[in-house]
Amino acid sequence: MALIVMKFGGSSVGTTERMGRVAQRIVDKKLRGNRVVVVVSAMGDTTDDLIDKSKEINDNPPAREMDMLLTTGEQISVALLSMAIHKLGHQAKSVTGWQAGIRTEAVHGKARITDIAPDRLHRALDEGNIVIVAGFQGMTEDGEITTLGRGGSDTTAVALAAAIKADVCEIYTDVDGIYSTDPRVVKCARKLDSISYDEMLELANLGAAVLHPRAVEYAKHHNVNLVVRSSFTENEGTLVREEAEMEQGVVVRGIAYDKNVARISILGVQDVPGVLAKIFTALAEAGIDVDIIVQSGVQNGKADFSFTVSLTDRPRAMDVIGGIRAAVPYDEATYEENLVKVSIVGAGMVSNPGVAARMFDAISKLGVSIKMVSTSEIKVSCVIAAEPLHDVVRALHTAYGLDTADTAFVGGPQERR
């Protein structure tokens, strides 16, 4: 008898009909002799609808009240899914995140899990129940309800799997596994049988939306067997684990892209010690993450440098830079939008020279200029103009021998929670 955590996103339970299909799939898992815990997101567009309603009331609602509001979406899902399972003649018990023992830090909107006390889940399982847990939510030590931010339901599922020592955590989504790139862009993308935590973490951080980085980090830290598979088919999925078998001749395992990119350039900065520290400390204190940083050569004692931030953080970043101009003089600060970051990832890159050169060559043959480059042992990222993105992804996919004769399966709208 295996202990399994199954996670279903919003599109998987977006209608009562889909809810019924998910209930049957869960019951089938139980009938095979497994003990089952299910984590579920809010139905379809429920969260977006709740956000829209909040804005009709208040353009700047308190973060605490937003958490109170948004957690109701998952509570609707778990109750309805439990009812659907009862209709099929099986015991089920729905619980909120805090009833499941999920404790978080005291941050509204993007709290991190600090601890899980799964005693209640174990008791419910011992009573023969399928346990349905609301994803995306927890509670502080002081009893305040919190949400976990983007990817929160994935993180909930992995964290629960670690806490109850589940044999596997299955993430059900609209694709039947992890592909070499977005199968909506490259129809002949290659489905991976397995991928390492490190490779998956790089892909997730670089824009691949199939798993959230925090969920992968949690899985790696607690050695959780993580499987990504389709809500719409019975196809075998992709196993995420510590080490993955390398396919002969395949150095690059995946290609990811991120459209949420802006470049900021600060021109004419005095080339003296401590200048960069002051600038990036100010950005960090404002909660702004900086990604790629490039500094040009020094002329007349002054230097230019550029860095990337998320598109959503760009206005605040420019405000911060303007606010420190008296302490850190510079000639001009500019920004550029309509950019994307495209990246190649593969553990085999570390022992294979020429991988980056092939990427630069494939991009240049399309007449596309590379604005910034960042590298690590297992990835290379290039910032380019947004318009040719899909052509660049397809060209890279072909250049690294990742094309297949098969058509990738995509079963529904893209999951985001």
Side-chain angles (χ1 to χ4, degrees), residues 169-233:
C169 178
E170 299 181 337
I171 306 292
Y172 288 81
T173 182
D174 57 328
V175 292
D176 60 351
I178 296 164
Y179 280 83
S180 51
T181 195
D182 187 345
R184 298 167 189 80
V185 175
V186 180
K187 302 300 183 184
C188 59
R190 178 187 302 251
K191 191 174 87 171
L192 307 177
D193 293 329
S194 64
I195 188 170
S196 71
Y197 292 128
D198 288 337
E199 289 172 320
M200 189 65 244
L201 186 56
E202 284 282 15
L203 287 171
N205 278 318
L206 294 167
V210 68
L211 282 174
H212 194 272
R214 274 202 288 172
V216 182
E217 286 176 353
Y218 216 105
K220 176 179 172 63
H221 183 71
H222 295 278
N223 199 28
V224 174
N225 288 318
L226 190 58
V227 176
V228 177
R229 58 192 314 169
S230 172
S231 301
F232 304 93
T233 75

Side-chain angles (χ1 to χ4, degrees), residues 355-365 370 373 380 382 396 400:
V355 177
R358 195 185 310 178
M359 181 182 195
F360 303 151
D361 182 61
I363 294 174
S364 69
K365 285 179 177 176
I370 298 173
V373 176
V380 181
C382 295
L396 292 173
Y400 290 105

